[in-house]
Amino acid sequence: MKNKVRSIYKNREEFIVLGLTGKTGSGCSTVADILKNGYKEYNPVDCTLANIQSRKAEIIKKFASKFFIDDDKKFKIIKPSTILIMLFLFDNKIIIEKIASLFDSLDKKEENLKKEIIELKEIKKIAEILNKDVEIFKEFFEFIDLINIENIKNQEDDILKEIKKVKELYEKKLKLESKEDLEKEIKTILGTKDNIKLEKYKLDFKEYKIIGENSTDKKIIKDKIDLKREIFNDFIKKYSKINSKRFIKLYTRSNEKIQKLREEKKLSTKDLQLIGDLVREYVDIYQLPNYCNYLIKAYRNESKNKSCYIAIDSLKNPFEIVFFKERYSAYYTFSIHSKDETIERRLKDLGYSSQEIEGIHKKEQNVDEKDKQKGSLDSSKDFNSQNITECIQRSDIYIDNNQDKKDTLYRQIFRYLSLIVHPGLITPSKDELIMQIALNAKFNSGCISRQVGAVVLNKHGSVKSIGWNEVPEGQLPCLLRSHSELLNNSTLNFYSKYEKSDFKSKDSFKYIFSTTKQPQYKESDKLGLNDSFCFKSIQNEIDGQKNQVYTRSLHAEENAFLQASKYGNSEIIGGQLFTTASPCFLCAKKAYQLGIKRVVYIEAYPDISNEQVFEIGSHDIEVVHFRGATGLAYQKLYEPIFSYKDELKALNKKEKRV
């Protein structure tokens, strides 16, 4: 019977994929090192936990000390930064398109032009460090070095000439490039011997020599660039599958080189971010996770009949997380959290200045030049950008790394690894239970910008109210309202008197979905989507402001507080507030006024609530970043596959001899 039990857990035990996310300095690499090195003895006792939690920690340690000791239980680490560098080295089109964006900047603001020039100078430096063959761009890069940033407007004609020259050189080379040239390029990049037989990879070179023969030059170039990228990506996919061992060596060799350059301080985090942004901007949105996926499959192919555990260190774009969630049921995202002051201290110890640290985190959080966090996808570039805030929201498991103590990290990491391979081994913490309620509550929100959930507990820990960001009761949320409906039917009471008059007559409202005179042909209509609209966004556009006052929704915390008071409930003094996003300034004041003593949150709202509201006055409020499992992971980790009583009985029962 015990063999039957083992076979039930086999899938979970054989394969795990983790994605790590968090700010630079939060500890993703530290967690990756723990996963890479496998189980080490650690102290199970955490004095900050209640007795029952200490007991759970002991049970986990007992399981982890038996299960995670073998070498095949150590994690293989994939670094997206290395994959991004590889993509940069593989694809000349990326540099070409960056030069083209410089051309586009010539007739725009001077600051944009300066930014493009500075970035190209940085790219040149990185390309040289990586020994990338940039012969085609050599003259152009040399010219870029001569540009005087302070006198840039007077040099536009010269810049234009150089761009055209490089474009012509590249096009000439590409038009003359043969199948043999492409094969040589592939072999050079992969570091393989000339005698490698590409035929076994069934590469389709047929079109490459003659493509565009009867077309215009412009089309020849476009078709050839697209085909070249297609052939190369196709080859990488097949190469990783057919020759998984060599593909792993290719990645390992590249990763070792990058890490060495980082140790020698020839490549910085800023350099990697620049290349990362550049590659993400000019390749398909799922190109990076696809390459990671090829590597995962290569590792799995080489693991034979042993376990294969993979950790990706670290993911910076939310759509990368979406890719792996949809691809693997055995995938979980770990969000590693540290306080800003802790992160700053660690990075300063590594030699980063305050200015460099600020720049790195602005880039990671998709913050614009006015220090405003972008809340929407305003351009195609925003889909590919780093956005740690959104990554944190999409995470499954939250790990606290504020104490700089390995034991604390071990307790958390092996708790969730143990639950991944053996669900239901222990029960959830109280914080996990309540945050799961808050998370479920947020999906009730009809806000089309962001969803937030909140739960209020009394001082005894009982749930008193649940809230989510939503319009007042009796009104229709934005998700269920329609742009075209308001435009064409002013009699419905779903819309205010103001919206039916001045508001809907404004161009900001009329053309937010389409500039055509036939709104029925909008893309949303073609897909059968309701054309909801955000009143606040349009009103701010009309006024030329960014005013939060115009939001139609109550905030989740505000809604939960009102629910508690609406029904005469005064028991929340000394209670707790759980929220999927930390309270804004206005909600923080309400929490303080109501006597809340503890606030637990997942995503940090970017304002001064803590410093200005919670850390002042006559009573203290404990503000805690949530740690634990949420969402689907909560259910997958804590729901037993079958009764624990039956499992123990099956494992320990003596088989009758026949």
Side-chain angles (χ1 to χ4, degrees), residues 437-451:
I437 298 172
L439 192 80
N440 287 336
K442 87 173 193 175
F443 298 123
N444 289 305
S445 170
C447 177
I448 63 174
S449 297
R450 75 198 296 255
Q451 295 171 305

Side-chain angles (χ1 to χ4, degrees), residues 346-443:
R346 287 173 187 158
L347 292 179
K348 280 186 173 178
D349 289 343
L350 292 171
Y352 289 90
S353 68
S354 296
Q355 191 177 359
E356 286 173 324
I357 296 167
E358 187 183 2
I360 289 167
H361 290 150
K362 277 185 179 181
K363 184 81 75 174
E364 287 181 336
Q365 292 178 281
N366 200 23
V367 172
D368 63 22
E369 61 277 1
K370 295 179 181 176
D371 290 347
K372 297 288 184 183
Q373 191 161 343
K374 295 179 183 178
S376 61
L377 301 168
D378 296 323
S379 69
S380 59
K381 190 176 178 179
D382 289 329
F383 281 88
N384 297 51
S385 301
Q386 296 185 52
N387 193 333
I388 292 295
T389 301
E390 188 66 28
C391 287
I392 291 169
Q393 288 183 41
R394 292 187 177 274
S395 296
D396 303 297
I397 295 164
Y398 297 89
I399 304 291
D400 180 80
N401 186 34
N402 276 303
Q403 299 179 36
D404 288 330
K405 293 180 181 177
K406 282 285 180 73
D407 279 356
T408 305
L409 275 177
Y410 270 98
R411 279 192 289 272
Q412 295 175 83
I413 291 167
F414 284 103
R415 173 189 178 105
Y416 296 108
L417 290 182
S418 299
L419 287 166
I420 288 170
V421 298
H422 198 296
L425 194 60
I426 58 172
T427 54
S429 68
K430 181 69 178 289
D431 279 8
E432 286 178 306
L433 170 63
I434 304 302
M435 190 59 81
Q436 186 72 356
I437 298 172
L439 192 80
N440 287 336
K442 87 173 193 175
F443 298 123

Side-chain angles (χ1 to χ4, degrees), residues 499-547:
E499 287 173 316
K500 292 174 184 177
S501 55
D502 291 350
F503 181 81
K504 84 169 189 177
S505 66
K506 302 289 186 181
D507 286 349
S508 298
F509 175 74
K510 284 183 179 178
Y511 300 117
I512 192 166
F513 284 93
S514 175
T515 56
T516 68
K517 294 180 180 179
Q518 297 172 301
Q520 68 267 27
Y521 294 117
K522 297 190 300 285
E523 195 64 28
S524 56
D525 282 343
K526 291 177 187 176
L527 296 171
L529 300 174
N530 183 46
D531 53 345
S532 311
F533 64 93
C534 176
F535 172 82
K536 178 190 71 177
S537 298
I538 299 170
Q539 187 61 46
N540 280 331
E541 193 172 321
I542 292 168
D543 294 344
Q545 297 179 2
K546 286 192 174 183
N547 199 330

Side-chain angles (χ1 to χ4, degrees), residues 106-138:
L106 288 173
D107 59 351
K108 294 179 183 176
K109 290 183 179 177
E110 192 173 332
E111 301 81 60
N112 291 343
L113 186 55
K114 283 183 180 180
K115 184 174 175 289
E116 294 286 341
I117 295 286
I118 290 167
E119 284 194 352
L120 268 169
K121 287 186 176 187
E122 288 295 313
I123 291 164
K124 180 204 172 198
K125 184 195 82 173
I126 297 167
E128 287 173 343
I129 290 169
L130 295 170
N131 296 321
K132 178 173 172 59
D133 183 11
V134 288
E135 196 60 38
I136 308 165
F137 318 112
K138 191 175 177 183

